[in-house]
Amino acid sequence: MGFGDLKSAAGLRVLNDFLADKSYIEGYVPSQADIAVFEAIAAPPPADLFHALRWYNHIKSYEKQKASLPGVKKALGKYGPADVEDTTGAATDSKEDDDIDLFGSDDEEESEEAKKLREERLAQYESKKSKKPAVVAKSSILLDVKPWDDETDMAKLEECVRSIQADGLVWGSSKLVPVGYGIKKLQIQCVVEDDKVGTDMLEERITAFEDYVQSMDVAAFNKI
């Protein structure tokens, strides 16, 4: 299990693919798992890895609250897809080997040249990125909103749900679906901007209408 070397392009691509259908590294809310992976990344992922970049910017917004996020931070190799070998240890060993100067070369002069080249490439990348339109990651979510019983006013329940307004949230079509014993649930579609609206926020806002809503579930979640 692991992402490989998250300071490499290959490792970032694995992370991007891993987040294609997930909002977080584990579960449905930010946690210490996200912080562990975030801290292993040297710089923001490139714009073409938009799932990883969306996640990176979202977790960065929790920088001041990272110590209070739930969970226990584990070794980096404990996170990620099961079929990717954890190379974080190997990368560390390789770095330590590289630090040993076997031939007495002029490391200071070489590091200055490498630093200059890196700064030039970063400047070129930032210039190129600034000219590209920002990619807005969006998801289509189908929600099941369940009432307390068959006497719940479903029209009022839907009115309450649609009254929830947020930047990056657009409500779509809806229908009532029978669940048994005369009870119907509200099935409603919405489109969200991933950086602005998450399923945890939707659940918190919808279940706040406790006179009408018993629970909310995510019936389908698709990246757009």
Side-chain angles (χ1 to χ4, degrees), residues 44-63:
D48 59 323
L49 301 180
F50 50 87
H51 298 305
L53 181 59
R54 176 262 307 164
W55 167 85
Y56 181 94
N57 290 333
H58 183 52
I59 299 306
K60 187 177 181 180
S61 69
Y62 286 91
E63 188 170 2

Side-chain angles (χ1 to χ4, degrees), residues 11 14 26 38 64 70 75 77 81 86 99 160 167 177 190 220:
V14 174
E26 289 185 344
F38 178 87
K64 293 182 179 179
D86 175 25
D99 288 341
C160 290
D167 185 23
V177 179
C190 66

Side-chain angles (χ1 to χ4, degrees), residues 6 19 37 79 85 91 103 107 119 148 175 186 190 192 214:
L6 284 171
L19 292 169
V37 177
Y79 307 113
E85 181 181 358
F103 301 98
D107 287 342
E119 290 176 350
W148 289 105
K175 63 180 179 179
L186 172 68
C190 66
V192 303
Q214 180 192 118

Side-chain angles (χ1 to χ4, degrees), residues 14-215:
V14 174
L15 176 64
N16 185 70
D17 293 341
F18 180 77
L19 292 169
D21 59 353
K22 300 176 182 65
S23 296
Y24 303 102
I25 300 300
E26 289 185 344
Y28 299 97
V29 295
S31 69
Q32 293 301 320
D34 297 283
I35 298 302
V37 177
F38 178 87
E39 291 177 344
I41 298 175
D48 59 323
L49 301 180
F50 50 87
H51 298 305
L53 181 59
R54 176 262 307 164
W55 167 85
Y56 181 94
N57 290 333
H58 183 52
I59 299 306
K60 187 177 181 180
S61 69
Y62 286 91
E63 188 170 2
K64 293 182 179 179
Q65 303 105 306
K66 64 181 182 180
S68 63
L69 294 180
V72 177
K73 193 183 297 184
K74 296 179 288 188
L76 188 61
K78 299 294 184 181
Y79 307 113
D83 58 345
V84 175
E85 181 181 358
D86 175 25
T87 61
T88 53
T92 301
D93 294 340
S94 175
K95 184 179 184 301
E96 290 174 353
D97 291 343
D98 290 342
D99 288 341
I100 301 173
D101 185 3
L102 299 177
F103 301 98
S105 61
D106 188 355
D107 287 342
E108 184 175 349
E109 181 179 346
E110 291 177 358
S111 65
E112 285 297 323
E113 292 180 2
K115 181 179 178 181
K116 182 178 180 181
L117 179 60
R118 183 172 65 253
E119 290 176 350
E120 289 176 353
R121 288 179 176 175
L122 283 172
Q124 291 173 357
Y125 168 73
E126 291 296 334
S127 176
K128 185 184 296 184
K129 186 175 68 172
S130 66
K131 296 176 182 177
K132 289 184 177 180
V135 177
V136 179
K138 294 183 178 181
S139 298
S140 174
I141 308 176
L142 184 64
L143 303 175
D144 281 345
V145 184
K146 298 176 183 177
W148 289 105
D149 51 39
D150 60 343
E151 295 183 359
T152 300
D153 186 340
M154 296 304 293
K156 184 64 178 177
L157 184 149
E158 180 173 353
E159 181 183 332
C160 290
V161 172
R162 290 185 181 274
S163 71
I164 299 171
Q165 302 294 320
D167 185 23
L169 169 65
V170 178
W171 293 109
S173 60
S174 64
K175 63 180 179 179
L176 297 179
V177 179
V179 295
Y181 304 101
I183 301 174
K184 296 181 179 180
K185 65 182 178 181
L186 172 68
Q187 198 166 76
I188 186 167
Q189 191 90 23
C190 66
V191 174
V192 303
E193 292 185 25
D194 296 344
D195 286 344
K196 298 177 180 178
V197 180
T199 55
D200 51 337
M201 184 273 272
L202 290 172
E203 182 175 14
E204 180 181 347
R205 298 280 294 275
I206 290 174
T207 54
F209 296 106
E210 55 188 19
D211 291 341
Y212 301 96
V213 178
Q214 180 192 118
S215 64

